[in-house]
Amino acid sequence: MIQRIEVNLHKNWQKELADVVTRPEELLSMLDLPPDAYQPDSEAKSLFNLRVPRPFIAKMAKGDPRDPLLLQVLPRRQEFQQHSQYSVDPLQEQDNNEPGLLHKYRSRVLLMFKTACAINCRYCFRRHFPYQDNQLNKAALADKLTYIGHHPEINEVILSGGDPLMAKDEALAWFLDKLEQLPNIKRLRIHSRLPVTIPARITEQLCQRFAQSPLQIVFVHHINHANEVDEVFSRACKKLTQAGVTQLNQAVLLKEVNANAAAQITLSERLFAAGILPYYLHQLDKVQGAAHFEVSDDEARAIMAEVLSELPGFLVPKLVREVGGERSKTPIDLHLEP
């Protein structure tokens, strides 16, 4: 029988955020895995810090070194390998004339609302991003709102990061107050991994503010494996649904984590049961340190062919990749190469 770690789920989200695990030795010990055996891997934390909330660790299976949630966050020695087709800026975001703001899609603008995350995922395409040069305080956000107001073609604002839900409810409410005054804006989209890592982040206060907004609120979760979707998280999603929030999911196809049809089918079914529609399945962004997660396009096509044969179309995410400099996602043709 699989054992999982018990955690106190009644803490508030800020206390849980302050109590994340940052040492590989502690994480491994919590999972009944021998830290000494992972020493060469643990050294990769020098490239990208370990950071994992305890509610997320509670979903991992004790004694299983191949647990798909553990593999997303555990430093690996392969991260030291340099690959010629990989870079520190795979999406060409770092040479930006508007720090903290990306306007590569005509009708949408992305704000680096908060430049920290609750969890550090080893495949993160922004693991080398200069967040210190892109932080937005209230005055800077006011300037970005002016920019948005002066571009009438923008009708949607995307909050990203880092993770925008690292901001307190009051800060998000202030931003919504200002954004709702711009006549060109129809939608606010929030990309966050916080609800699935610390479900307590979905507070009553936050949901009440979303429910009051005249804007369409779209919440994009980042969930890669069905084991991330538990009952506590599902209850948080129900609160968002009751607040009128549309919920989508984007995942990354990751070797050893979810690179098979069964994992993708189970993920889509479990997401939908929680009120979330599958949106995108991304091919890995080629960021240095993450090459060991790569799945070939032909493998991805074969997986999706199986998924298409098993699921209704509304549960099948779009297989895409993001190409630096391009003005939209690039769909991957599902026909296998001859």
Side-chain angles (χ1 to χ4, degrees), residues 60-116:
M60 299 176 187
K62 285 187 174 183
D64 183 2
R66 313 312 302 166
D67 181 271
L69 279 59
L70 174 64
L71 293 178
Q72 294 180 54
V73 299
L74 187 67
R76 303 277 288 279
R77 69 192 76 182
Q78 294 97 319
E79 296 177 39
F80 287 103
Q81 298 172 1
Q82 294 290 301
H83 294 264
S84 60
Q85 295 184 355
Y86 283 66
S87 77
V88 297
D89 186 19
L91 302 190
Q92 300 177 19
E93 295 180 330
Q94 295 180 23
D95 184 15
N96 182 21
N97 293 328
E98 282 279 342
L101 180 148
L102 295 172
H103 188 185
K104 62 180 179 178
Y105 304 137
R106 183 180 183 277
S107 64
R108 289 145 358 249
V109 65
L110 182 147
L111 294 178
M112 302 280 185
F113 197 73
K114 295 296 287 186
T115 55

Side-chain angles (χ1 to χ4, degrees), residues 106-283:
R106 183 180 183 277
S107 64
R108 289 145 358 249
V109 65
L110 182 147
L111 294 178
M112 302 280 185
F113 197 73
K114 295 296 287 186
T115 55
C117 289
I119 187 169
N120 283 350
C121 303
R122 308 311 295 181
Y123 53 85
C124 179
F125 68 93
R126 291 190 181 131
R127 59 182 283 166
H128 305 287
F129 192 78
Y131 284 117
Q132 68 278 3
D133 300 327
N134 287 270
Q135 298 182 47
L136 298 176
N137 57 23
K138 187 174 283 191
L141 282 169
D143 288 341
K144 304 308 180 189
L145 287 162
T146 299
Y147 175 96
I148 294 165
H150 287 164
H151 287 76
E153 74 276 14
I154 298 172
N155 60 29
E156 179 176 341
V157 171
I158 303 167
L159 299 187
S160 183
D163 194 309
L165 287 195
M166 294 286 280
K168 295 180 181 179
D169 289 347
E170 294 78 10
L172 287 160
W174 172 87
F175 183 79
L176 259 175
D177 289 344
K178 301 297 183 184
L179 191 65
E180 288 164 358
Q181 296 173 23
L182 301 179
N184 52 316
I185 300 303
K186 297 178 180 178
R187 289 182 298 276
L188 173 67
R189 192 188 334 163
I190 299 171
H191 284 243
S192 178
R193 193 139 161 76
L194 248 165
V196 78
T197 59
I198 302 179
R201 178 62 191 92
I202 304 303
T203 63
E204 295 295 339
Q205 181 180 349
L206 184 67
C207 290
Q208 288 172 10
R209 184 60 186 87
F210 286 162
Q212 293 166 2
S213 181
L215 300 178
Q216 294 174 306
I217 308 292
V218 180
F219 201 102
V220 182
H221 298 275
H222 178 177
I223 300 166
N224 296 315
H225 196 276
N227 291 357
E228 299 177 46
V229 183
D230 63 0
E231 181 58 33
V232 179
F233 170 68
S234 296
R235 288 201 298 267
C237 293
K238 185 176 181 180
K239 289 162 62 176
L240 288 171
T241 298
Q242 291 170 339
V245 175
T246 299
Q247 296 180 77
L248 307 173
N249 184 65
Q250 61 177 8
V252 181
L253 192 60
L254 301 167
K255 185 178 181 180
E256 300 183 325
V257 172
N258 60 9
N260 60 77
Q264 292 298 324
I265 291 166
T266 306
L267 173 60
S268 285
E269 292 282 10
R270 202 163 295 174
L271 287 169
F272 191 62
I276 304 168
L277 271 176
Y279 175 37
Y280 281 135
L281 177 61
H282 286 264
Q283 273 289 50

Side-chain angles (χ1 to χ4, degrees), residues 6-20:
E6 295 294 329
V7 295
N8 181 359
L9 296 175
H10 300 291
K11 289 184 178 180
N12 69 46
W13 72 272
Q14 288 168 290
K15 288 183 179 179
E16 291 188 317
L17 187 60
D19 192 31
V20 298

Side-chain angles (χ1 to χ4, degrees), residues 294-312:
E294 185 176 5
V295 177
S296 73
D297 282 1
D298 278 351
E299 287 179 89
R301 291 186 181 102
I303 291 167
M304 293 309 294
E306 285 191 62
V307 172
L308 280 164
S309 72
E310 293 289 335
L311 291 178

